[in-house]
């Protein structure tokens, strides 16, 4: 029975980490949507109006990010655009929430949290960059 509990715990951690990596891509659009929806609700739009305005705001934020990733060529600019900072912050706090219950040393909690933030940030960049539909680059191709 104890072995089954340990195996199920590892499976649950794996599923939650997979969910975290998936949701980290959408951290900035979600935050923008919630902020815009909250503003709409406070300005008197009602629940339905706030939800619709928030969803449109989140969609526009995600769309603008993907368009910019398709247009901008320097890697450093793409890193700034690719929602890596919000995803890394979300990854840091999620990892810190997990390790503070399992690791007694605050130094190691910080180390594991930074590693988790880096892993989530890199994964978010890879997924967002993969979602952006970039065509083949014609730079460096000689034409006759």
């Amino acid at each position: 029975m104890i072995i089954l509990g340990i195996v199920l715990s590892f499976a649950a951690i794996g599923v939650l980490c997979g969910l975290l990596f998936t949701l980290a891509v959408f951290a900035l659009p979600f935050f923008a949507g919630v902020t815009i929806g909250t503003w709409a609700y406070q300005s008197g739009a009602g629940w339905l109006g706030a939800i619709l305005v928030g969803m449109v705001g989140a969609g526009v934020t995600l769309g603008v990010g993907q368009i910019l990733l398709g247009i901008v060529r320097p890697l450093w600019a793409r890193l700034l655009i690719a929602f890596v900072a919000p995803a890394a912050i979300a990854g840091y706090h999620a990892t810190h929430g997990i390790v503070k219950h399992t690791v007694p040393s605050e130094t190691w909690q910080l180390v594991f949290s930074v590693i988790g933030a880096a892993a989530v940030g890199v994964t978010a960049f890879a997924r967002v960059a993969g979602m952006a539909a970039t065509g083949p680059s014609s730079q460096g191709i000689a034409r006759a």
Side-chain angles (χ1 to χ4, degrees), residues 63-84:
V64 167
Q66 288 180 354
I67 289 170
L68 287 174
L69 277 175
I71 293 172
V72 174
R73 291 291 171 215
L75 183 59
W76 63 269
R78 293 182 85 174
L79 283 169
L80 291 176
I81 296 169
F83 308 99
V84 172

Side-chain angles (χ1 to χ4, degrees), residues 106-116:
E106 289 186 22
T107 303
W108 283 108
Q109 289 177 4
L110 179 66
V111 169
F112 287 129
S113 298
V114 169
I115 291 170

Side-chain angles (χ1 to χ4, degrees), residues 28-107:
L28 180 62
F30 177 76
F31 178 72
V34 168
T35 302
I36 293 169
T38 303
W39 170 80
Y41 181 74
Q42 290 175 353
S43 66
W47 282 103
L48 182 60
I51 290 170
L52 290 175
V53 169
M55 289 175 65
V56 168
V60 167
T61 304
L62 182 62
V64 167
Q66 288 180 354
I67 289 170
L68 287 174
L69 277 175
I71 293 172
V72 174
R73 291 291 171 215
L75 183 59
W76 63 269
R78 293 182 85 174
L79 283 169
L80 291 176
I81 296 169
F83 308 99
V84 172
I89 291 170
Y92 173 84
H93 288 292
T95 307
H96 188 71
I98 293 169
V99 298
K100 75 178 183 179
H101 296 294
T102 58
V103 178
S105 170
E106 289 186 22
T107 303

